[in-house]
Amino acid sequence: MKRIIVAIALVSTLGLTAWKLLDNKEKVAEKVYKPNPNLKVGVRTAKAEVRDLSLESQFLGSFEANREIEIRPQAGGEIVQLPIVEGQAVGAGKLVAKLDDDQLRYQIEALEVQIEGYKNDLKRYEALVKGDATPAVNIEKTQLNIRATQAQVKQLQKQLANTTITAPFSGIVTSKMVEKGSIVSPGTPLAKVTDISTLKLVVQVPEKAINQFRMGQSIAVKTEVYPDTEFKGRVSLIGAQGDAAHNYPIEISVANSSAHALRAGMYGTIANTSELKGQSLSVPRQAIIGSTKQPQLYVVENGTAILRDVQIGATTNDYYEITKGLQAGEQVVVSGQINLQNGTPVVAQ
């Protein structure tokens, strides 16, 4: 009897459990979202059109000074004049520093006196030789002494000239390393002069874009400090050696002006446009989904999004060329693809 009661209880429990699970399944199914087959998804579309495909490449670089030099003397001594300050504009040949030259002047004066004495001796020897009072070799020795002493004077005059240090070209004094009264030796840095009358914008261009540039090419330059001003630049150097990342240096010379003064270290941008193809069927880049090896896009046909395989050709920053799978004038989806499946009703917004 007990076995019958246990069996009945077990069957009842199983039945109740099965009914409960079925009831829960029905309730869960009621909560699951079921898309309305008549509900249209809003998308943005664009027309596939034939257009000229060109690629605009932008490259960022920084300006460098046209010329820059550390001025170093060829002579040594005490600085007695230093008429420069940092930030000062100097012209070519402008005095930068003057070294004490008193000792050199004294030595030159002594040698000139010596030469004068040799010349007087020469006159006397010439008169004595005529009367056979002295051998002619004395004349020759005196002439050699005059030439040797004159050579010493020239050496000292060269050293004297080296005590006057001037700017080799026009520029700005960007650094002063010494002060008046300093004792310097040959080769000691005195000051740095930077020429920014013309600046060089140096940009790194990848290997695939290097052939877009040629020597002497005119190119527009934009800067962050003057965003509304376009500067005229000219390609002055195309690097022959790339770095480890296959980037090549390109230098663009830009004339500086007082109206829009540029400085070394500022950023500059160039934009170079190259023609990729002529008239080509193309769509916006946003229309392509999937990978570039298996590109697809949605075409709107009679209010329905149809997923279509296509083939792409040239690419720009904004467009893909379509070489197969699409006709000019067809509407393609450029936004909202995440909500689409093949055959989803759509409405263009």
Side-chain angles (χ1 to χ4, degrees), residues 149-170:
T149 307
Q150 287 175 336
Q152 294 179 42
V153 170
K154 290 180 180 179
Q155 290 178 347
L156 291 174
Q157 288 174 338
K158 175 63 175 177
Q159 296 178 30
L160 182 65
N162 289 338
T163 62
T164 301
I165 300 100
T166 59
F169 51 77
S170 299

Side-chain angles (χ1 to χ4, degrees), residues 212-269:
Q212 298 177 17
F213 299 88
R214 64 184 186 278
M215 290 295 295
Q217 174 185 354
S218 297
I219 195 165
V221 176
K222 301 283 286 185
T223 63
E224 292 185 356
V225 67
Y226 303 113
D228 298 326
T229 301
E230 187 174 272
F231 295 87
K232 293 182 179 179
R234 182 180 58 83
V235 176
S236 56
L237 182 144
I238 300 176
Q241 178 68 45
D243 58 18
H246 296 268
N247 293 322
Y248 292 79
I250 300 291
E251 288 185 5
I252 294 91
S253 297
V254 179
N256 211 345
S257 68
S258 57
H260 299 92
L262 298 172
R263 300 179 185 274
M266 288 182 174
Y267 287 115
T269 304

